[in-house]
Amino acid sequence: PPMVYISGEEMTRYTCELILEKWFKPLVDISAWEYYDLSCKSRDETEDKVLHDAVAAGARIGAIFKEPTITPTAVQQKAMGLKKAWGSPNGAMRRGWNGVTISRDT
């Protein structure tokens, strides 16, 4: 079935990729999934367009899985070489998805 898969970064990104490769892909057809990379690097490179695209896709499809993402501090912004410290994407997601809660039951 269609779903929006929003990837994050660091160890969660690595762990979710292992789970997808070992347990999902062999058993579930994920060809209809749409993928959006919400890592700091991707948000920086796209001037946050990737966030707006992910929110629009989530509103259209209605089935979303989001990995944890980083809301960078000024120190992390400098260390990662980001143009700016991109804010948390969760507010934009809640607004775009009519107040749907971002669950952290992981």
Side-chain angles (χ1 to χ4, degrees):
M3 184 171 80
V4 173
Y5 190 101
I6 300 172
S7 65
E9 50 205 319
E10 295 189 332
M11 285 308 295
T12 303
R13 172 75 234 126
Y14 174 75
T15 302
C16 285
E17 187 59 36
L18 285 175
I19 292 168
L20 280 172
E21 290 297 323
K22 293 189 178 282
W23 292 306
F24 274 78
K25 289 181 180 179
L27 303 171
V28 178
D29 178 10
I30 62 172
S31 62
W33 289 11
E34 293 184 26
Y35 292 86
Y36 296 89
D37 176 3
L38 247 55
S39 66
C40 290
K41 181 179 177 183
S42 176
R43 291 180 70 193
D44 202 56
E45 289 172 352
T46 66
E47 295 289 325
D48 225 15
K49 183 179 182 310
V50 67
L51 170 60
H52 301 287
D53 291 348
V55 169
R60 179 174 37 83
I61 293 174
I64 306 124
F65 178 85
K66 177 190 172 283
E67 295 176 8
T69 53
I70 294 174
T71 302
T73 63
V75 172
Q76 290 171 315
Q77 173 191 352
K78 186 175 181 178
M80 292 183 209
L82 304 174
K83 297 173 206 162
K84 64 184 262 184
W86 299 97
S88 171
N90 295 341
M93 291 176 178
R94 279 191 292 276
R95 287 186 300 277
W97 301 333
N98 296 318
V100 174
T101 301
I102 308 299
S103 176
R104 290 178 175 85
D105 298 333
T106 56

